[in-house]
Amino acid sequence: MFNKLLEKIVYRRLFTFLSKTNALYKFQFGFRKNHSTSLALLDVLDSCYKNIDANNKVIGIFLDLQKAFDTVQHHILLTKLHNYGIRGVMHNWLKNYLQNRKQFTVVNNVSSNIGSVTCGVPQGSVLGPLLFLIYMNDISNAVPGKDVKLFADDTNVFIYGPNLTVVEYEANDCLKKLECWFNANRLSLNIEKTCYAIFNCSRPITPEVTLNLVINNQQINKVSNCKYLGVFIDEAFHWNVHIDYVYKKIIRFVSLFYKLRSFVPKQSLYKLYYAFVFPHLNYGVEVYANCNKIAIDKLNKLNNKLLRILLGKNYDTPNIELYRIFNVLPIPLLHEMKLLELIHKFYHHNHLLPKIFQEYFIINNAIHQYSTRNKNNLHISVVTSHIGQRCSVYHGSKYWNELPDYLKVYSSVSLFKKNISHYLLWR
Protein backbone atom coordinates (compact mmCIF):
# COMPACT_ATOMS: atom_id res chain seq x y z
CA MET A 1 0.00 0.00 0.00
CA PHE A 2 2.83 2.38 0.91
CA ASN A 3 4.54 1.84 -2.45
CA LYS A 4 1.35 2.90 -4.30
CA LEU A 5 1.10 6.09 -2.22
CA LEU A 6 4.75 6.87 -2.88
CA GLU A 7 4.25 6.27 -6.62
CA LYS A 8 1.30 8.68 -6.66
CA ILE A 9 3.35 11.39 -4.94
CA VAL A 10 6.19 10.96 -7.44
CA TYR A 11 3.71 10.91 -10.31
CA ARG A 12 2.12 14.21 -9.24
CA ARG A 13 5.47 15.95 -8.83
CA LEU A 14 6.77 14.59 -12.11
CA PHE A 15 3.63 15.43 -14.08
CA THR A 16 3.42 18.92 -12.54
CA PHE A 17 7.03 19.60 -13.53
CA LEU A 18 6.47 18.39 -17.11
CA SER A 19 3.28 20.47 -17.40
CA LYS A 20 4.92 23.66 -16.10
CA THR A 21 7.81 23.30 -18.54
CA ASN A 22 5.44 22.42 -21.42
CA ALA A 23 7.59 19.37 -22.08
CA LEU A 24 4.84 16.96 -23.11
CA TYR A 25 4.07 16.70 -26.83
CA LYS A 26 0.87 18.58 -27.67
CA PHE A 27 -0.48 15.84 -29.95
CA GLN A 28 -0.08 13.10 -27.31
CA PHE A 29 -3.61 12.36 -26.05
CA GLY A 30 -2.96 9.15 -24.12
CA PHE A 31 -2.91 8.96 -20.30
CA ARG A 32 -3.40 12.71 -19.91
CA LYS A 33 -6.12 14.49 -17.99
CA ASN A 34 -8.62 16.37 -20.19
CA HIS A 35 -7.19 14.64 -23.28
CA SER A 36 -9.82 12.23 -24.60
CA THR A 37 -10.05 9.97 -27.63
CA SER A 38 -12.99 12.08 -28.82
CA LEU A 39 -10.82 15.20 -28.92
CA ALA A 40 -8.05 13.25 -30.64
CA LEU A 41 -10.55 12.13 -33.30
CA LEU A 42 -11.88 15.67 -33.78
CA ASP A 43 -8.37 17.02 -34.21
CA VAL A 44 -7.50 14.46 -36.90
CA LEU A 45 -10.79 14.65 -38.81
CA ASP A 46 -10.90 18.47 -38.80
CA SER A 47 -7.36 18.58 -40.15
CA CYS A 48 -8.34 16.19 -42.97
CA TYR A 49 -11.54 18.13 -43.79
CA LYS A 50 -9.67 21.46 -43.91
CA ASN A 51 -7.00 20.12 -46.24
CA ILE A 52 -9.48 18.44 -48.57
CA ASP A 53 -11.48 21.68 -48.63
CA ALA A 54 -8.24 23.40 -49.70
CA ASN A 55 -7.95 20.87 -52.60
CA ASN A 56 -5.06 19.00 -51.00
CA LYS A 57 -4.59 15.24 -51.20
CA VAL A 58 -4.64 13.50 -47.83
CA ILE A 59 -3.24 10.15 -46.73
CA GLY A 60 -3.24 8.62 -43.28
CA ILE A 61 -0.49 6.22 -42.19
CA PHE A 62 -1.41 3.99 -39.25
CA LEU A 63 1.67 2.49 -37.56
CA ASP A 64 1.36 -0.52 -35.27
CA LEU A 65 4.08 -0.85 -32.62
CA GLN A 66 4.77 -4.32 -31.24
CA LYS A 67 4.68 -4.62 -27.45
CA ALA A 68 5.76 -1.00 -27.08
CA PHE A 69 5.31 -0.88 -23.28
CA ASP A 70 7.38 -4.04 -22.81
CA THR A 71 10.30 -2.96 -25.00
CA VAL A 72 11.11 0.39 -23.37
CA GLN A 73 14.89 0.47 -22.81
CA HIS A 74 15.68 1.65 -19.30
CA HIS A 75 18.97 3.39 -20.15
CA ILE A 76 17.32 5.32 -23.00
CA LEU A 77 14.40 6.33 -20.77
CA LEU A 78 16.77 7.50 -18.01
CA THR A 79 18.73 9.56 -20.53
CA LYS A 80 15.53 11.21 -21.74
CA LEU A 81 14.46 11.94 -18.15
CA HIS A 82 17.81 13.65 -17.58
CA ASN A 83 17.42 15.70 -20.78
CA TYR A 84 13.98 16.91 -19.65
CA GLY A 85 15.50 18.23 -16.43
CA ILE A 86 14.73 15.34 -14.08
CA ARG A 87 18.08 14.96 -12.33
CA GLY A 88 19.69 14.44 -8.97
CA VAL A 89 17.73 12.62 -6.27
CA MET A 90 14.61 12.20 -8.42
CA HIS A 91 16.62 10.71 -11.29
CA ASN A 92 18.37 8.29 -8.93
CA TRP A 93 15.01 7.31 -7.41
CA LEU A 94 13.54 6.55 -10.85
CA LYS A 95 16.66 4.59 -11.80
CA ASN A 96 16.28 2.47 -8.67
CA TYR A 97 12.54 2.13 -9.39
CA LEU A 98 13.15 0.69 -12.84
CA GLN A 99 16.16 -1.53 -12.31
CA ASN A 100 16.65 -4.85 -10.50
CA ARG A 101 13.02 -5.91 -10.95
CA LYS A 102 12.19 -9.61 -10.92
CA GLN A 103 9.27 -11.60 -12.32
CA PHE A 104 7.88 -15.12 -12.34
CA THR A 105 4.61 -16.81 -13.20
CA VAL A 106 2.49 -19.53 -11.61
CA VAL A 107 0.47 -22.12 -13.56
CA ASN A 108 -1.43 -24.91 -11.77
CA ASN A 109 0.42 -24.07 -8.53
CA VAL A 110 3.79 -24.54 -10.25
CA SER A 111 6.13 -21.54 -10.21
CA SER A 112 8.58 -20.68 -12.95
CA ASN A 113 12.17 -19.62 -12.37
CA ILE A 114 12.66 -16.02 -11.27
CA GLY A 115 13.81 -13.86 -14.17
CA SER A 116 15.16 -10.33 -14.36
CA VAL A 117 13.14 -7.56 -16.04
CA THR A 118 15.65 -5.74 -18.20
CA CYS A 119 13.27 -3.53 -20.19
CA GLY A 120 9.71 -2.22 -20.20
CA VAL A 121 7.77 0.06 -17.87
CA PRO A 122 6.11 -1.59 -14.85
CA GLN A 123 2.68 -2.81 -15.93
CA GLY A 124 -0.25 -1.87 -13.68
CA SER A 125 1.78 0.79 -11.91
CA VAL A 126 0.88 4.44 -11.42
CA LEU A 127 4.13 5.70 -12.94
CA GLY A 128 4.30 3.27 -15.88
CA PRO A 129 2.04 5.17 -18.31
CA LEU A 130 3.72 8.54 -17.63
CA LEU A 131 7.19 7.06 -18.12
CA PHE A 132 6.03 5.64 -21.44
CA LEU A 133 4.74 9.06 -22.54
CA ILE A 134 8.17 10.50 -21.77
CA TYR A 135 9.80 7.72 -23.79
CA MET A 136 7.62 8.50 -26.84
CA ASN A 137 7.67 12.27 -26.32
CA ASP A 138 10.47 13.26 -28.69
CA ILE A 139 9.10 11.37 -31.72
CA SER A 140 7.92 14.69 -33.15
CA ASN A 141 11.56 15.87 -33.37
CA ALA A 142 12.24 13.02 -35.79
CA VAL A 143 9.91 14.51 -38.42
CA PRO A 144 10.02 18.33 -38.23
CA GLY A 145 7.04 19.96 -39.89
CA LYS A 146 4.85 16.87 -39.59
CA ASP A 147 2.34 16.37 -36.78
CA VAL A 148 2.60 12.82 -35.51
CA LYS A 149 -0.69 11.98 -33.78
CA LEU A 150 -0.26 9.87 -30.66
CA PHE A 151 -2.50 8.10 -28.22
CA ALA A 152 0.01 6.35 -25.94
CA ASP A 153 1.68 3.88 -28.36
CA ASP A 154 -0.93 4.38 -31.10
CA THR A 155 1.15 6.25 -33.67
CA ASN A 156 -0.30 7.84 -36.79
CA VAL A 157 0.82 10.36 -39.39
CA PHE A 158 -1.35 12.32 -41.80
CA ILE A 159 0.35 13.77 -44.89
CA TYR A 160 -1.11 16.55 -47.05
CA GLY A 161 -0.05 17.84 -50.44
CA PRO A 162 -1.25 19.29 -53.77
CA ASN A 163 -1.02 15.92 -55.56
CA LEU A 164 -0.34 12.25 -54.82
CA THR A 165 3.19 12.41 -56.21
CA VAL A 166 4.19 15.04 -53.66
CA VAL A 167 2.32 13.24 -50.90
CA GLU A 168 4.04 9.94 -51.72
CA TYR A 169 7.49 11.55 -51.63
CA GLU A 170 6.81 13.32 -48.31
CA ALA A 171 5.28 10.18 -46.81
CA ASN A 172 8.33 8.06 -47.65
CA ASP A 173 10.65 10.75 -46.31
CA CYS A 174 8.59 10.83 -43.10
CA LEU A 175 8.63 7.02 -42.83
CA LYS A 176 12.39 6.91 -43.32
CA LYS A 177 12.91 9.36 -40.46
CA LEU A 178 10.44 7.50 -38.22
CA GLU A 179 12.24 4.24 -39.02
CA CYS A 180 15.47 5.77 -37.75
CA TRP A 181 13.73 6.95 -34.58
CA PHE A 182 12.16 3.54 -33.95
CA ASN A 183 15.52 1.83 -34.42
CA ALA A 184 17.29 4.30 -32.13
CA ASN A 185 14.66 3.72 -29.43
CA ARG A 186 14.57 -0.08 -29.93
CA LEU A 187 10.90 -0.11 -30.90
CA SER A 188 9.66 -2.49 -33.59
CA LEU A 189 6.76 -2.26 -36.04
CA ASN A 190 4.24 -4.90 -36.98
CA ILE A 191 4.34 -4.35 -40.74
CA GLU A 192 1.33 -6.60 -41.37
CA LYS A 193 -0.87 -4.36 -39.24
CA THR A 194 0.71 -1.12 -40.44
CA CYS A 195 -1.32 0.40 -43.28
CA TYR A 196 -2.29 3.58 -45.09
CA ALA A 197 -5.43 5.06 -46.63
CA ILE A 198 -5.95 7.72 -49.29
CA PHE A 199 -8.79 10.02 -48.26
CA ASN A 200 -11.06 11.66 -50.79
CA CYS A 201 -14.56 12.92 -50.10
CA SER A 202 -15.77 13.84 -53.57
CA ARG A 203 -15.35 10.32 -54.88
CA PRO A 204 -13.55 7.25 -53.52
CA ILE A 205 -10.05 6.55 -54.77
CA THR A 206 -10.15 3.66 -57.23
CA PRO A 207 -8.50 0.43 -56.02
CA GLU A 208 -5.90 0.75 -58.81
CA VAL A 209 -4.48 3.96 -57.30
CA THR A 210 -1.80 2.87 -54.86
CA LEU A 211 1.32 4.45 -53.44
CA ASN A 212 4.69 2.86 -52.93
CA LEU A 213 5.16 3.51 -49.21
CA VAL A 214 8.06 1.66 -47.62
CA ILE A 215 9.36 1.24 -44.07
CA ASN A 216 11.95 -1.28 -42.90
CA ASN A 217 12.37 -2.24 -46.59
CA GLN A 218 8.80 -3.51 -46.67
CA GLN A 219 5.85 -2.05 -48.53
CA ILE A 220 2.87 -0.86 -46.50
CA ASN A 221 -0.57 -2.15 -47.45
CA LYS A 222 -3.30 0.17 -48.64
CA VAL A 223 -6.75 -0.15 -46.98
CA SER A 224 -10.15 1.34 -47.76
CA ASN A 225 -10.91 1.85 -44.06
CA CYS A 226 -9.04 1.65 -40.80
CA LYS A 227 -10.00 1.44 -37.14
CA TYR A 228 -8.59 4.52 -35.45
CA LEU A 229 -9.14 4.91 -31.68
CA GLY A 230 -12.16 2.61 -31.85
CA VAL A 231 -13.79 4.34 -34.82
CA PHE A 232 -13.69 3.04 -38.40
CA ILE A 233 -12.62 5.81 -40.79
CA ASP A 234 -13.31 5.04 -44.44
CA GLU A 235 -11.48 6.64 -47.35
CA ALA A 236 -14.52 8.69 -48.47
CA PHE A 237 -15.65 9.72 -44.94
CA HIS A 238 -19.07 8.19 -45.56
CA TRP A 239 -18.93 6.46 -42.13
CA ASN A 240 -20.87 3.46 -43.48
CA VAL A 241 -18.34 0.98 -42.07
CA HIS A 242 -18.47 2.40 -38.55
CA ILE A 243 -22.26 2.79 -38.63
CA ASP A 244 -22.58 -0.87 -39.67
CA TYR A 245 -20.18 -1.80 -36.86
CA VAL A 246 -22.31 0.01 -34.24
CA TYR A 247 -25.51 -1.37 -35.80
CA LYS A 248 -24.30 -4.97 -35.38
CA LYS A 249 -23.31 -4.23 -31.79
CA ILE A 250 -26.77 -3.08 -30.70
CA ILE A 251 -29.20 -5.00 -32.94
CA ARG A 252 -28.79 -8.09 -30.75
CA PHE A 253 -30.62 -6.25 -27.96
CA VAL A 254 -33.89 -6.08 -29.93
CA SER A 255 -35.00 -9.63 -29.06
CA LEU A 256 -33.54 -9.36 -25.55
CA PHE A 257 -35.50 -6.19 -24.76
CA TYR A 258 -38.68 -7.78 -26.14
CA LYS A 259 -38.31 -10.63 -23.65
CA LEU A 260 -37.33 -8.47 -20.68
CA ARG A 261 -39.87 -5.65 -20.92
CA SER A 262 -42.78 -7.76 -19.63
CA PHE A 263 -41.24 -8.66 -16.27
CA VAL A 264 -38.35 -6.21 -15.66
CA PRO A 265 -39.17 -2.87 -13.95
CA LYS A 266 -39.08 0.17 -16.19
CA GLN A 267 -36.25 1.74 -14.20
CA SER A 268 -34.13 -1.36 -14.78
CA LEU A 269 -34.88 -1.20 -18.50
CA TYR A 270 -33.56 2.38 -18.53
CA LYS A 271 -30.36 1.18 -16.89
CA LEU A 272 -29.98 -1.64 -19.42
CA TYR A 273 -30.28 0.82 -22.30
CA TYR A 274 -27.72 3.19 -20.83
CA ALA A 275 -25.38 0.31 -19.97
CA PHE A 276 -25.48 -1.71 -23.20
CA VAL A 277 -26.79 0.49 -26.03
CA PHE A 278 -26.07 4.14 -25.31
CA PRO A 279 -22.26 3.79 -24.92
CA HIS A 280 -21.99 2.37 -28.46
CA LEU A 281 -24.05 5.24 -29.88
CA ASN A 282 -22.34 7.91 -27.80
CA TYR A 283 -18.72 7.01 -28.46
CA GLY A 284 -17.30 8.96 -31.38
CA VAL A 285 -20.69 10.52 -32.20
CA GLU A 286 -18.89 13.86 -32.69
CA VAL A 287 -17.30 12.46 -35.85
CA TYR A 288 -19.33 9.55 -37.19
CA ALA A 289 -22.71 11.34 -36.98
CA ASN A 290 -21.24 14.12 -39.10
CA CYS A 291 -22.49 12.45 -42.30
CA ASN A 292 -25.50 12.57 -44.61
CA LYS A 293 -28.93 11.58 -43.33
CA ILE A 294 -29.13 8.48 -45.51
CA ALA A 295 -25.98 6.96 -43.98
CA ILE A 296 -27.12 7.48 -40.38
CA ASP A 297 -30.76 6.56 -41.06
CA LYS A 298 -30.45 2.82 -40.34
CA LEU A 299 -28.90 3.51 -36.94
CA ASN A 300 -31.58 6.09 -36.13
CA LYS A 301 -34.34 3.62 -37.01
CA LEU A 302 -32.79 0.88 -34.89
CA ASN A 303 -32.47 3.24 -31.93
CA ASN A 304 -36.11 4.30 -32.39
CA LYS A 305 -37.13 0.65 -32.39
CA LEU A 306 -35.25 -0.12 -29.18
CA LEU A 307 -36.86 2.80 -27.36
CA ARG A 308 -40.30 1.83 -28.66
CA ILE A 309 -39.79 -1.72 -27.33
CA LEU A 310 -38.59 -0.54 -23.91
CA LEU A 311 -41.44 1.94 -23.55
CA GLY A 312 -44.08 -0.41 -24.97
CA LYS A 313 -45.30 2.25 -27.42
CA ASN A 314 -47.22 1.76 -30.67
CA TYR A 315 -45.69 2.40 -34.09
CA ASP A 316 -47.81 5.53 -34.52
CA THR A 317 -46.05 7.23 -31.56
CA PRO A 318 -43.91 10.09 -32.93
CA ASN A 319 -40.20 9.34 -32.62
CA ILE A 320 -39.45 12.57 -30.80
CA GLU A 321 -41.98 11.60 -28.12
CA LEU A 322 -40.01 8.40 -27.46
CA TYR A 323 -36.87 10.39 -26.80
CA ARG A 324 -38.65 12.92 -24.61
CA ILE A 325 -40.20 10.20 -22.46
CA PHE A 326 -36.89 8.36 -22.19
CA ASN A 327 -35.01 11.64 -21.72
CA VAL A 328 -32.31 10.79 -24.24
CA LEU A 329 -31.24 12.60 -27.40
CA PRO A 330 -31.51 11.19 -30.94
CA ILE A 331 -28.13 10.57 -32.60
CA PRO A 332 -28.06 13.82 -34.67
CA LEU A 333 -28.91 15.90 -31.60
CA LEU A 334 -26.39 13.95 -29.53
CA HIS A 335 -23.78 14.94 -32.12
CA GLU A 336 -24.85 18.59 -31.80
CA MET A 337 -24.77 18.47 -28.01
CA LYS A 338 -21.23 17.06 -27.93
CA LEU A 339 -19.94 19.93 -30.05
CA LEU A 340 -21.82 22.47 -27.93
CA GLU A 341 -20.25 20.98 -24.79
CA LEU A 342 -16.81 21.45 -26.34
CA ILE A 343 -17.53 25.09 -27.20
CA HIS A 344 -18.99 25.67 -23.72
CA LYS A 345 -15.72 24.45 -22.25
CA PHE A 346 -13.84 26.69 -24.70
CA TYR A 347 -15.74 29.73 -23.36
CA HIS A 348 -15.98 28.96 -19.65
CA HIS A 349 -13.26 26.40 -18.81
CA ASN A 350 -10.62 27.00 -21.45
CA HIS A 351 -7.76 25.92 -19.18
CA LEU A 352 -9.27 22.42 -18.99
CA LEU A 353 -8.86 21.88 -22.73
CA PRO A 354 -5.72 20.50 -24.42
CA LYS A 355 -3.48 23.28 -25.72
CA ILE A 356 -4.40 22.73 -29.35
CA PHE A 357 -8.07 23.32 -28.47
CA GLN A 358 -7.58 26.44 -26.33
CA GLU A 359 -7.58 28.61 -29.47
CA TYR A 360 -9.59 26.24 -31.64
CA PHE A 361 -12.52 28.62 -32.15
CA ILE A 362 -12.41 32.36 -32.92
CA ILE A 363 -14.70 34.90 -31.22
CA ASN A 364 -15.88 37.79 -33.41
CA ASN A 365 -14.52 40.47 -31.08
CA ALA A 366 -11.04 39.03 -31.63
CA ILE A 367 -11.34 39.96 -35.32
CA HIS A 368 -12.98 43.38 -35.04
CA GLN A 369 -13.71 45.86 -32.24
CA TYR A 370 -17.13 46.96 -33.48
CA SER A 371 -19.84 46.86 -30.82
CA THR A 372 -22.27 44.66 -32.74
CA ARG A 373 -24.83 42.34 -31.21
CA ASN A 374 -22.85 39.38 -32.57
CA LYS A 375 -19.49 40.44 -31.15
CA ASN A 376 -19.48 37.57 -28.61
CA ASN A 377 -20.53 34.97 -31.16
CA LEU A 378 -18.09 32.64 -32.86
CA HIS A 379 -16.59 33.59 -36.20
CA ILE A 380 -17.82 31.38 -39.06
CA SER A 381 -14.82 30.50 -41.20
CA VAL A 382 -15.09 30.57 -44.98
CA VAL A 383 -15.22 27.15 -46.66
CA THR A 384 -15.32 26.27 -50.34
CA SER A 385 -17.02 22.86 -50.31
CA HIS A 386 -19.45 20.65 -48.42
CA ILE A 387 -16.53 18.82 -46.84
CA GLY A 388 -15.30 22.07 -45.31
CA GLN A 389 -18.72 22.49 -43.73
CA ARG A 390 -18.22 19.18 -41.91
CA CYS A 391 -15.35 20.61 -39.93
CA SER A 392 -16.38 21.00 -36.27
CA VAL A 393 -15.05 24.56 -36.22
CA TYR A 394 -17.55 25.46 -38.94
CA HIS A 395 -20.77 23.70 -38.00
CA GLY A 396 -20.00 23.72 -34.25
CA SER A 397 -19.75 27.51 -34.41
CA LYS A 398 -23.08 27.66 -36.24
CA TYR A 399 -24.74 25.53 -33.57
CA TRP A 400 -23.40 27.81 -30.84
CA ASN A 401 -24.41 31.06 -32.54
CA GLU A 402 -27.97 29.76 -32.96
CA LEU A 403 -28.36 29.08 -29.22
CA PRO A 404 -30.45 31.47 -27.11
CA ASP A 405 -28.26 33.79 -25.03
CA TYR A 406 -29.62 32.50 -21.72
CA LEU A 407 -28.05 29.09 -22.40
CA LYS A 408 -24.62 30.48 -23.24
CA VAL A 409 -24.10 32.15 -19.87
CA TYR A 410 -24.17 28.97 -17.74
CA SER A 411 -20.65 28.43 -16.44
CA SER A 412 -21.50 25.20 -14.65
CA VAL A 413 -20.89 22.18 -16.89
CA SER A 414 -23.64 20.11 -15.28
CA LEU A 415 -26.21 22.91 -15.53
CA PHE A 416 -25.29 23.56 -19.15
CA LYS A 417 -25.63 19.85 -20.07
CA LYS A 418 -29.00 19.61 -18.33
CA ASN A 419 -30.42 22.74 -19.94
CA ILE A 420 -28.98 22.16 -23.39
CA SER A 421 -30.36 18.62 -23.46
CA HIS A 422 -33.83 19.90 -22.55
CA TYR A 423 -33.56 22.69 -25.13
CA LEU A 424 -32.57 20.34 -27.97
CA LEU A 425 -35.40 17.91 -27.14
CA TRP A 426 -38.13 20.53 -26.87
CA ARG A 427 -37.17 23.33 -29.23
Side-chain angles (χ1 to χ4, degrees), residues 346-365:
F346 169 82
Y347 266 96
H348 298 284
H349 306 281
N350 192 270
H351 64 287
L352 297 179
L353 286 171
K355 267 196 170 179
I356 60 170
F357 281 92
Q358 288 179 3
E359 297 180 356
Y360 208 63
F361 301 92
I362 301 173
I363 303 174
N364 281 332
N365 61 19

Side-chain angles (χ1 to χ4, degrees), residues 227 230-231 242-253 257 272-286 288-289 296 299 302-303 306 331 334:
K227 194 175 187 180
V231 173
H242 184 73
I243 288 168
D244 288 342
Y245 171 75
V246 176
Y247 185 90
K248 290 174 184 177
K249 285 278 188 180
I250 64 175
I251 195 172
R252 57 187 174 177
F253 294 103
F257 287 170
L272 286 172
Y273 175 85
Y274 280 106
F276 296 107
V277 175
F278 186 74
H280 293 298
L281 298 173
N282 188 51
Y283 181 71
V285 71
E286 299 94 329
Y288 83 79
I296 203 74
L299 203 55
L302 178 57
N303 198 31
L306 289 169
I331 297 170
L334 192 60

Side-chain angles (χ1 to χ4, degrees), residues 32 130 182 332 400:
R32 297 179 67 182
L130 181 57
F182 291 141
W400 180 264

Side-chain angles (χ1 to χ4, degrees), residues 235-293:
E235 59 186 358
F237 296 115
H238 288 158
W239 300 105
N240 292 325
V241 178
H242 184 73
I243 288 168
D244 288 342
Y245 171 75
V246 176
Y247 185 90
K248 290 174 184 177
K249 285 278 188 180
I250 64 175
I251 195 172
R252 57 187 174 177
F253 294 103
V254 171
S255 59
L256 180 64
F257 287 170
Y258 263 124
K259 294 173 184 176
L260 291 176
R261 70 175 182 178
S262 58
F263 58 87
V264 172
K266 185 175 289 187
Q267 195 61 35
S268 297
L269 292 175
Y270 283 14
K271 291 179 180 179
L272 286 172
Y273 175 85
Y274 280 106
F276 296 107
V277 175
F278 186 74
H280 293 298
L281 298 173
N282 188 51
Y283 181 71
V285 71
E286 299 94 329
V287 292
Y288 83 79
N290 188 11
C291 61
N292 61 57
K293 293 181 180 180

Side-chain angles (χ1 to χ4, degrees), residues 104-243:
F104 71 97
T105 187
V106 178
V107 179
N108 294 329
N109 295 322
V110 178
S111 300
S112 68
N113 295 328
I114 297 176
S116 298
V117 180
T118 58
C119 60
V121 293
Q123 299 291 308
S125 66
V126 177
L127 272 172
L130 181 57
L131 293 175
F132 182 78
L133 295 191
I134 295 170
Y135 196 79
M136 292 288 294
N137 198 57
D138 62 338
I139 192 172
S140 61
N141 298 333
V143 281
K146 296 289 185 294
D147 295 330
V148 182
K149 310 292 186 178
L150 297 175
F151 196 92
D153 63 331
D154 199 338
T155 309
N156 310 277
V157 187
F158 293 82
I159 310 291
Y160 318 106
N163 56 65
L164 288 179
T165 303
V166 172
V167 169
E168 182 179 32
Y169 174 81
E170 291 191 4
N172 276 312
D173 181 62
C174 180
L175 288 171
K176 188 175 181 180
K177 292 174 180 176
L178 285 174
E179 180 184 336
C180 292
W181 188 89
F182 291 141
N183 291 336
N185 288 273
R186 308 286 181 86
L187 295 172
S188 58
L189 279 176
N190 185 338
I191 301 296
E192 291 183 0
K193 291 184 178 179
T194 296
C195 58
Y196 77 93
I198 306 174
F199 298 114
N200 187 323
C201 290
S202 58
R203 56 185 179 278
I205 297 292
T206 58
E208 292 77 20
V209 179
T210 58
L211 304 178
N212 185 31
L213 303 186
V214 178
I215 191 168
N216 294 341
N217 295 318
Q218 296 185 59
Q219 193 168 11
I220 299 175
N221 294 324
K222 178 192 173 187
V223 295
S224 59
N225 65 82
C226 184
K227 194 175 187 180
Y228 178 65
L229 299 180
V231 173
F232 286 93
I233 306 176
D234 61 272
E235 59 186 358
F237 296 115
H238 288 158
W239 300 105
N240 292 325
V241 178
H242 184 73
I243 288 168

